Amino acid sequence: MTADVIDGVKLANNYRDDIKQEVARLNNDGIFPALVALQIGDDPSSKIYLENQRKKCEELGINYTVWSLSESTTQKALEDHIKSLNTNPSIHGIILQQPLPAHIDGIQTIQVMAPNKDVEGLHPQNYGKLFYEDHNLAPCTALASEKLLRSYEPNLKGKEIVIIGHSSIVGKPLSMLLLHSKKEAPTVRICHISTKDLKAHTLAADVIFVGCGVPNLIKADMVHKGSIIIDIGINRVDKTDEQGQVLLKPNGKPYKKTVGDVDYEEVSKICKAITPVPGGVGPMTVAMLLNNTIKCACLTNNSIK
Ligand code: NAD
């Protein structure tokens, strides 16, 4: 038996159709949703990400601009840029592109951002609201993971859920999103690098979310036939042939591929359902970022969605 595949591209396309309609509605009201990505320095990996954001925004009719600041931009100068974006009525959302140079304090910077322009849902005000079951602007990857699960299994009442990874952008906000129902909530455990017996937790779980950045962390003997698995990890690894030999390009460097944190080939023979990597949480995270941008445009213009 092979597992059902929970298709992130398909679900993201459904969101995109809704976002397109919402953009059209806002345009009719004279509102043109606009997103600014602040990039400090010129990390090559973030360039690919920025290009991807630009394409997706263009497709949906969202204005997208990258503000490139030099690597030597000071904390004070960055905060001044953000304050000017906060008061600019034609800008609705701000992304602080990662990675940040070592001298920039990411948490301090986020706090300068207007909470209703915080498309990544990381401002303490938005983060705090998550605890009160108001998740108008929640972190995009956590939202993406939760929505993928609920698209496959809407009834989480009493389910045993294990989240592996306790970062501020993934595991912690995801746990809050899952607990958002007083009567229908699942039981949620969070595991991490110091968890003593990971396998004991995963075998007891109906649902496993894993976001660690460790390829093959979840193996076939850690899941059962009823497990639903949402793989959040993104890892670049060497491509190999059937004998396990690394495949090399003509220049001698290895070919690379993207994998998650689950041994997909083996685990998908056993579990009930699984998200692929690529094609699972990744495209849904982008869809949630754009959805948050529309929410920000509505919030700053008091235009109820
Ligand atoms: P992080 O480094 O902040 O957190 C990693 C977490 O994994 C920590 O809680 C750590 O304790 C845990 N961990 C690490 N090794 C472990 C192990 N061997 N056993 C159990 N727990 C372990 O990372 P992050 O920013 O939360 O990202 C995690 C992964 O999710 C990365 O692969 C990242 O690329 C991916 N990610 C994907 C998306 C997406 O859109 N799909 C978005 C953000 C992050």
Side-chain angles (χ1 to χ4, degrees):
M1 197 192 99
T2 51
D4 293 337
V5 176
I6 307 174
D7 186 341
V9 175
K10 196 169 159 198
L11 191 60
N13 282 341
N14 294 345
Y15 274 92
R16 288 230 273 278
D17 291 344
D18 291 350
I19 294 169
K20 255 189 189 166
Q21 282 182 18
E22 197 52 24
V23 169
R25 185 185 76 79
L26 288 167
N27 289 172
N28 272 338
D29 292 347
I31 301 162
F32 298 89
L35 181 61
V36 168
L38 279 172
Q39 188 197 25
I40 304 114
D42 57 357
D43 183 83
S45 65
S46 73
K47 279 209 169 116
I48 298 166
Y49 195 57
L50 291 167
E51 184 52 24
N52 197 19
Q53 284 173 359
R54 190 189 60 74
K55 273 192 203 147
K56 302 285 184 237
C57 283
E58 229 169 60
E59 270 169 42
L60 299 181
I62 295 172
N63 294 326
Y64 180 75
T65 319
V66 179
W67 281 26
S68 293
L69 306 176
S70 84
E71 182 87 24
S72 59
T73 302
T74 62
Q75 179 77 33
K76 162 91 175 56
L78 174 60
E79 290 182 11
D80 288 345
H81 276 296
I82 293 178
K83 284 176 191 164
S84 76
L85 290 170
N86 285 347
T87 53
N88 183 338
S90 59
I91 301 299
H92 305 105
I94 309 167
I95 302 172
L96 188 60
Q97 197 64 46
Q98 303 290 331
L100 296 170
H103 66 278
I104 298 292
D105 181 332
I107 296 175
Q108 185 184 321
T109 310
I110 285 285
Q111 294 186 46
V112 175
M113 209 178 273
N116 61 6
K117 296 193 176 187
D118 165 35
V119 283
E120 294 181 287
L122 296 173
H123 186 282
Q125 184 173 311
N126 292 322
Y127 213 75
K129 280 182 177 176
L130 261 184
F131 284 70
Y132 291 107
E133 309 206 358
D134 167 358
H135 60 292
N136 209 11
L137 291 171
C140 304
T141 306
L143 266 178
S145 308
E146 184 227 3
K147 299 224 177 282
L148 276 162
L149 172 62
R150 290 192 196 271
S151 74
Y152 183 79
E153 175 54 85
N155 180 12
L156 301 184
K157 185 177 179 179
K159 292 269 189 299
E160 292 288 334
I161 297 189
V162 164
I163 300 170
I164 312 167
H166 72 323
S167 72
S168 303
I169 60 163
V170 182
K172 285 180 193 162
L174 175 59
S175 66
M176 286 302 131
L177 290 169
L178 292 166
L179 291 172
H180 271 181
S181 166
K182 286 187 179 68
K183 289 189 180 150
E184 312 265 303
T187 301
V188 181
R189 303 185 214 186
I190 304 186
C191 299
H192 44 71
I193 188 79
S194 305
T195 298
K196 278 189 188 149
D197 185 352
L198 195 57
K199 188 172 164 181
H201 292 285
T202 58
L203 282 176
D206 301 307
V207 179
I208 302 165
F209 289 93
V210 56
C212 295
V214 181
N216 291 326
L217 180 68
I218 303 301
K219 299 186 179 62
D221 65 349
M222 297 170 77
V223 307
H224 55 77
K225 66 177 172 43
S227 310
I228 302 172
I229 302 171
I230 311 292
D231 189 352
I232 304 163
I234 299 178
N235 307 291
R236 294 288 289 163
V237 298
D238 294 347
K239 261 190 183 173
T240 53
D241 63 17
E242 278 168 13
Q243 283 74 45
Q245 293 288 328
V246 174
L247 292 168
L248 298 176
K249 296 182 198 171
N251 66 7
K253 290 193 174 160
Y255 283 103
K256 295 278 182 186
K257 62 175 179 177
T258 302
V259 298
D261 288 353
V262 178
D263 178 354
Y264 187 89
E265 207 176 310
E266 296 305 316
V267 169
S268 61
K269 289 178 190 158
I270 294 171
C271 67
K272 183 175 175 196
I274 187 165
T275 56
V277 178
V281 177
M284 268 300 285
T285 297
V286 178
M288 294 299 99
L289 178 78
L290 302 178
N291 204 38
N292 276 356
T293 304
I294 300 306
K295 286 182 179 177
C296 288
C298 293
L299 284 169
T300 48
N301 289 282
N302 296 323
S303 174
I304 304 303
K305 200 177 164 183

